Amino acid sequence: VQLQASGGGLVQAGGSLRISCAASGGTLSPYAVGWFRQVPGKEREFVAAIGWSIGATYVEDSMKDRFTISRDNAQNTVYLQMNSLKPEDTAVYYCAAGPLRTVDPDDYEFWGQGTLVTVSS
């Protein structure tokens, strides 16, 4: 499965952005999908994940009031809706797929290339 993250860009603080993770070469349906983010010099940080069976979601506590993860299995795509963005949300956002809906990036088998989100103050 190949993953393609897209939809990043420049947004002002307080704004919203929806980024997408589209799969090709296979279906996302059997996999949990997670979003992670990374800024230079820091470790990759868990953002949110969604399971494959009933679509159970988990969003990191500090973001759960602003971020929502969803999936459209028919479109083979997972979305991350980000509202009330803050400058500290600036990062490269990566999507990943794996057998478990976990916060550990090592549990994910397939990774997209990342999409840059920049939030200006």
Side-chain angles (χ1 to χ4, degrees):
V1 175
Q2 291 83 47
L3 303 179
Q4 177 79 34
S6 63
L10 175 64
V11 62
Q12 288 188 333
S16 298
L17 202 62
R18 188 179 77 162
I19 56 178
S20 303
C21 177
S24 61
T27 176
L28 272 178
S29 294
Y31 298 103
V33 176
W35 283 100
F36 296 80
R37 67 185 186 185
Q38 190 169 25
V39 297
K42 292 189 176 182
E43 292 186 354
R44 196 162 291 190
E45 177 187 22
F46 171 79
V47 176
I50 186 166
W52 71 271
S53 58
I54 61 173
T57 63
Y58 178 69
V59 181
E60 201 278 331
D61 284 346
S62 66
M63 306 173 211
K64 63 182 179 180
D65 293 334
R66 302 184 295 121
F67 291 6
T68 303
I69 186 171
S70 62
R71 68 189 298 161
D72 184 338
N73 286 338
Q75 295 295 322
N76 226 15
T77 302
V78 171
Y79 304 97
L80 183 69
Q81 176 68 43
M82 302 182 289
N83 300 325
S84 302
L85 283 162
K86 305 174 182 179
E88 51 264 43
D89 294 318
T90 295
V92 177
Y93 284 71
Y94 298 90
C95 60
L100 300 174
R101 183 177 60 95
T102 79
V103 304
D104 187 346
D106 291 338
D107 290 332
Y108 290 85
E109 299 179 14
F110 308 101
W111 287 83
Q113 85 293 354
T115 186
L116 176 62
V117 173
T118 304
V119 184
S120 62
S121 57

